[in-house]
Amino acid sequence: MLAALLIGPAGLPVAGVLKALADRLPFVHVESGLAAVDQNVLFELRLPRVLLGAVVGGLLAVAGAGYQGVFRNPLADPYLLGAAAGAGVGATLVIVVLSDRPTLAVPLASFAGAVGGVALAYGLGSTAGRGGGSGTATLVLAGVAVSSFLASVQAFLQQAKAEELQRIYSWILGGLGLADWPTLAMIAPYAAVAVVTLLLHGRLLDVLSVGDEEAASLGLSAARVRLTVLAAASLATACAVAVSGLVGFVGVVVPHVVRRLAGGSYRIVLPLSLLGGAAFLTVADLVGRTIVAPGELPLGVVTAFVGGPFFVLVLRAVRGRADT
């Protein structure tokens, strides 16, 4: 995060940045020596963007770890249950319909769309489950069906407003262009609720990993834990997608690396995924805005360059364990 604050088109002195940051701490007063323009670059452009990137990365990674705990599948990711497709419909609808396009309209609509997509998938999966479905597998299939339907709705909306395709695709590719203090304040309470809920369920996910029957023998309601973790992970995903667009692979890459380094206990995986996701996306955004400077590479493209090959490696490892 410090590197992301220091590196950019506007060269800022390291000592001045450190002093300016220290000056914002309670009961600390340090003269930074930064000019007014540099102060604005640091506190109105870079700092909100770095913090938003850290929040989005942490949310996607901890949500991915939560989904993987519920489905007991290392390939599960935050977009599994229609969150991404629902957010895409919400954002596209606002871009197509609203002519004035207020600043907060797109993130609010994508947030509502993500929550609606997950709710629709869960409702459909629950209905199918009562008819003899097989629990989590039914829910995943419902998510795939809902995502396909919502993707077709989004494609229809795009064709209805072809002149807005560039803006729609820039949102789909992901980025932190909306980063400012009001955006951070908008998602902060929802993100806090989602993260705290997931972290508090680490021990319960460990119990759930041994099987539903064993969990029930210990007095644990597997259905209640799954529903709570799914709701919290979906809320975290909705918050992230609402302000960054579609940024893929964070929820697969980071939890898998954490498991390899620190073990499989969700009491460890969840908090370390939160920190690792924040670091990963901060670095990805730094690469995206410097590697083709003065242009900017979409954030989703950067994460896909890393996540695509990594996903293939994880898939091969999973298949290898299944074969043995």
Side-chain angles (χ1 to χ4, degrees):
M1 292 173 68
L2 182 59
L5 287 175
L6 293 172
I7 299 174
L12 300 180
V14 176
V17 169
L18 295 177
K19 290 178 180 178
L21 293 174
D23 188 49
R24 297 299 178 100
L25 297 175
F27 312 112
V28 176
H29 178 69
V30 180
E31 184 61 43
S32 67
L34 289 180
V37 173
D38 292 338
Q39 292 266 5
N40 286 332
V41 170
L42 177 61
F43 290 109
E44 300 302 324
L45 296 178
R46 287 193 190 171
L47 186 57
R49 180 165 184 150
V50 169
L51 290 177
L52 186 65
V55 169
V56 169
L59 288 173
L60 290 175
V62 77
Y67 280 126
Q68 290 158 22
V70 167
F71 296 112
R72 286 180 277 185
N73 186 336
L75 299 179
D77 79 331
Y79 297 146
L80 190 65
L81 298 181
V89 170
T92 303
L93 189 62
V94 167
I95 293 172
V96 167
V97 173
L98 296 184
S99 56
D100 52 353
R101 299 193 293 273
T103 304
L104 293 180
V106 170
L108 287 174
S110 59
F111 178 87
V115 173
V118 172
L120 183 60
Y122 189 83
L124 181 61
S126 299
T127 302
R130 286 195 296 269
S134 57
T136 56
T138 302
L139 190 57
V140 170
L141 291 175
V144 172
V146 169
S147 296
S148 299
F149 171 74
L150 293 177
S152 64
V153 173
Q154 183 179 1
F156 173 78
L157 293 173
Q158 290 173 359
Q159 295 303 314
K161 198 83 169 182
E163 61 271 21
E164 294 287 2
L165 280 178
Q166 183 176 359
R167 186 162 183 252
I168 293 170
Y169 280 125
S170 67
W171 185 89
I172 291 174
L173 291 174
L176 300 174
L178 293 175
D180 55 22
W181 296 112
T183 301
L184 278 166
M186 178 185 69
I187 68 168
Y190 306 102
V193 170
V195 168
V196 170
T197 301
L198 288 169
L199 294 181
L200 290 177
H201 280 74
R203 184 182 66 84
L204 299 181
L205 285 174
D206 284 340
V207 176
L208 199 64
S209 65
V210 302
D212 289 4
E213 293 182 2
E214 290 81 357
S217 68
L218 296 174
L220 179 65
S221 172
R224 186 183 303 115
V225 172
R226 282 200 180 93
L227 178 59
T228 304
V229 173
L230 282 175
S234 299
L235 179 60
T237 302
C239 290
V241 171
V243 296
S244 68
L246 305 183
V247 181
F249 295 105
V250 180
V252 174
V253 171
V254 175
H256 188 78
V257 171
V258 168
R259 275 193 210 89
R260 287 296 183 94
L261 296 177
S265 172
Y266 283 94
R267 286 176 291 180
I268 299 174
V269 170
L270 288 168
L272 289 186
S273 293
L274 182 69
L275 295 176
F280 176 74
L281 206 66
T282 300
V283 172
D285 181 57
L286 176 60
V287 170
R289 61 184 173 85
T290 57
I291 195 171
V292 293
E296 184 174 317
L297 200 62
L299 188 55
V301 174
V302 179
T303 59
F305 271 120
V306 177
F310 190 92
F311 187 87
V312 173
L313 293 176
V314 174
L315 181 60
R316 291 183 63 183
V318 171
R319 290 188 61 186
R321 287 197 298 268
D323 292 339
T324 57

